[in-house]
Amino acid sequence: MERIQTEIRKDWENKLEGLGFGYHSLEGLYWDESHYYQFTGSEIEAIENATAELWQMCLEAVDHVIAENLWERFNIPQHFRDYIVTSWEEDHPSIYGRFDFGFDGKNLKLLEFNADTPTSLYEASVIQWYWLQDMFPDRDQFNSIHEKLIDYWKYLTKYMNPRHIYFTSLTNIEDVTNVEYMRDCATQAGFETEFIPVQDIGWADDIEEFISGDQTIMEYIFKLYPYEWILEDGFSEKLVKNAFRSQWIEPAWKVLLSSKAILPVLWKLYPDHPYLLEAYFDGPKDMKDYARKPVFSREGANVTLYQNRVAVEHNEGGYEKEGFIYQKLFKLPDFDGNHPVIGSWVIGQEPAGIGIRESVHLITNNQSRFIPHLISG
């Protein structure tokens, strides 16, 4: 993996906005095409293989969590446990997820799995592909995200009837862009689709149904709104009462994989696995260099990094009350003070491509930049 300086397209902002990518510079530069990352074919093959194997390991881990009743470890309340189990046993559809990897050119390690509401989808799928066509049209990219999303939605048309899906999120530009992109893929696959802000979803108490603004019962709802927030705001009790007459995508079992608590479970099931970092629930044990991560956390909130058992970096946030896990610290590569994390997408059941976020900090946060990539040769 190399970090290579390159020219910035003169009209890059217009090009991005012409594609509907309006959050390239909201809180400082987010889309950064002053550099790109170049991978060899064998490096891409290694990332692809790791993604496929980890996905299967994660499915085994969900089985283990349910079989061993590890709900307390995941801070899942009693009332929501059977709901998760049913969504798992009935194989409710899952569209996508993003594994975050640390990669130093030799070691490829899972940092965490954004399995429920992964973002940076649109820039990974579409934006960096158009950058490649403009800048290096004779080169390739590890990126079949768009094609695999449409194909998987097409696959689901056999199982989802009626074919009307509501797509919902908060109304900030990043979430709306990502969910509208997903909606476009579902539309191309043959579904009827409609966007509704998550705060506009109604609940009819007398019939225990989720309803849209025109009082229509909502049977399928794709959400870009995390289950930990649904548990926090009391909405999960309505999901349980509704008993799956409304089916939510991603399914409820994804809350287990999007939790950092899955990391010690994976380590216990697959000790010393080459893709995993040592991880525990009850303290760092003998580790001197480790990350203390909240069970639920977004954008690096409440993460603390320790070197030689001394805190060297910490992010503030509001996720402390659910508890923590402890994961061996991976030394991210340092490219002139920039530290990349590889987000590797799984669509349906298959690896589909990568996006790279880069930070001047060791903890990737909401100020990290998105850097495009290509494959050498």
Side-chain angles (χ1 to χ4, degrees):
M1 179 172 62
E2 298 177 85
R3 184 176 188 266
I4 299 173
Q5 187 171 359
T6 187
E7 293 184 4
I8 300 172
R9 293 171 293 176
K10 290 180 181 177
D11 55 349
W12 67 276
E13 289 164 301
N14 286 333
K15 284 178 176 288
L16 298 182
E17 289 163 13
L19 293 169
F21 185 57
Y23 52 96
H24 52 73
S25 310
L26 284 182
E27 298 178 12
L29 189 67
Y30 171 59
W31 169 266
D32 183 357
E33 59 179 62
S34 64
H35 293 75
Y36 63 87
Y37 280 94
Q38 176 170 280
F39 294 84
T40 65
S42 59
E43 287 173 333
I44 292 297
E45 184 179 7
I47 295 168
E48 189 172 12
N49 290 340
T51 303
E53 186 169 347
L54 280 165
W55 171 245
Q56 294 302 319
M57 291 161 62
C58 282
L59 297 180
E60 292 290 331
V62 173
D63 255 340
H64 178 80
V65 171
I66 292 173
E68 298 299 320
N69 290 309
L70 300 179
W71 305 109
E72 298 291 339
R73 292 294 196 184
F74 287 72
N75 206 39
I76 303 294
Q78 181 75 43
H79 76 272
F80 203 59
R81 296 173 186 176
D82 285 346
Y83 187 86
I84 292 173
V85 173
T86 301
S87 75
W88 173 249
E89 292 179 343
E90 293 184 352
D91 195 23
H92 291 185
S94 163
I95 307 295
Y96 68 159
R98 194 194 73 223
F99 290 102
D100 283 351
F101 290 131
F103 182 49
D104 60 9
K106 180 180 178 183
N107 299 293
L108 183 66
K109 298 290 187 182
L110 175 64
L111 304 176
E112 57 194 54
F113 185 23
N114 295 280
D116 181 20
T117 56
T119 53
S120 76
L121 176 68
Y122 189 49
E123 46 270 46
S125 177
V126 173
I127 303 301
Q128 67 170 346
W129 177 254
Y130 276 93
W131 167 85
L132 185 75
Q133 302 313 303
D134 279 350
M135 297 295 291
F136 306 98
D138 57 337
R139 306 290 285 276
D140 201 1
Q141 195 174 74
F142 180 29
N143 185 0
S144 59
I145 299 169
H146 185 73
E147 293 80 4
K148 284 195 167 83
L149 279 173
I150 294 173
D151 286 348
Y152 200 70
W153 280 113
K154 285 181 179 175
Y155 166 76
L156 291 176
T157 58
K158 294 183 288 187
Y159 304 99
M160 296 171 65
N161 189 23
R163 293 181 182 171
H164 190 104
I165 310 175
Y166 291 89
F167 287 77
T168 190
S169 71
L170 298 175
T171 52
N172 65 76
I173 186 172
E174 181 178 0
D175 285 7
V176 170
T177 301
N178 275 271
V179 81
E180 285 284 13
Y181 170 61
M182 184 66 90
R183 178 187 167 198
D184 179 65
C185 291
T187 303
Q188 290 190 49
F191 285 100
E192 296 177 5
T193 64
E194 180 176 345
F195 177 80
I196 180 171
V198 70
Q199 61 270 24
D200 289 352
I201 295 176
W203 172 252
D205 206 30
D206 53 340
I207 55 174
E208 297 183 339
E209 298 282 6
F210 294 101
I211 54 174
S212 63
D214 63 1
Q215 308 299 304
T216 300
I217 293 174
M218 304 168 72
E219 297 187 72
Y220 295 107
I221 309 167
F222 176 91
K223 62 169 189 60
L224 192 67
Y225 189 82
Y227 276 109
E228 66 259 29
W229 293 358
I230 290 174
L231 291 168
E232 179 75 21
D233 62 21
F235 216 61
S236 58
E237 280 125 2
K238 294 182 173 58
L239 267 65
V240 173
K241 285 181 181 176
N242 180 253
F244 298 108
R245 291 188 299 279
S246 293
Q247 195 165 105
W248 295 76
I249 307 169
E250 294 293 305
W253 58 266
K254 276 297 196 72
V255 71
L256 302 177
L257 292 180
S258 65
S259 168
K260 308 300 183 292
I262 203 65
L263 299 170
V265 172
L266 284 167
W267 182 252
K268 181 179 180 180
L269 291 175
Y270 304 95
D272 299 317
H273 192 285
Y275 298 144
L276 299 179
L277 293 162
E278 194 174 349
Y280 303 103
F281 281 111
D282 300 319
K285 299 199 173 181
D286 294 331
M287 296 188 293
K288 293 182 179 178
D289 301 334
Y290 58 93
R292 181 175 180 258
K293 296 182 174 181
V295 167
F296 292 123
S297 174
R298 298 172 67 81
E299 301 288 359
N302 296 100
V303 173
T304 307
L305 305 184
Y306 293 82
Q307 291 181 348
N308 205 21
R309 295 178 178 162
V310 175
V312 295
E313 193 168 315
H314 172 73
N315 276 357
E316 297 293 335
Y319 286 96
E320 295 186 333
K321 63 180 180 300
E322 291 88 2
F324 294 86
I325 64 98
Y326 301 80
Q327 182 189 44
K328 187 177 180 63
L329 188 63
F330 181 77
K331 188 174 181 181
L332 292 173
D334 186 338
F335 293 94
D336 299 323
N338 298 286
H339 306 287
V341 168
I342 298 170
S344 185
W345 291 90
V346 57
I347 309 294
Q349 310 290 323
E350 298 179 3
I354 59 173
I356 299 166
R357 292 186 67 189
E358 183 185 83
S359 177
V360 296
H361 304 287
L362 295 174
I363 303 172
T364 303
N365 59 27
N366 59 4
Q367 295 176 327
S368 302
R369 290 158 286 122
F370 190 98
I371 313 294
H373 82 279
L374 55 75
I375 301 172
S376 61

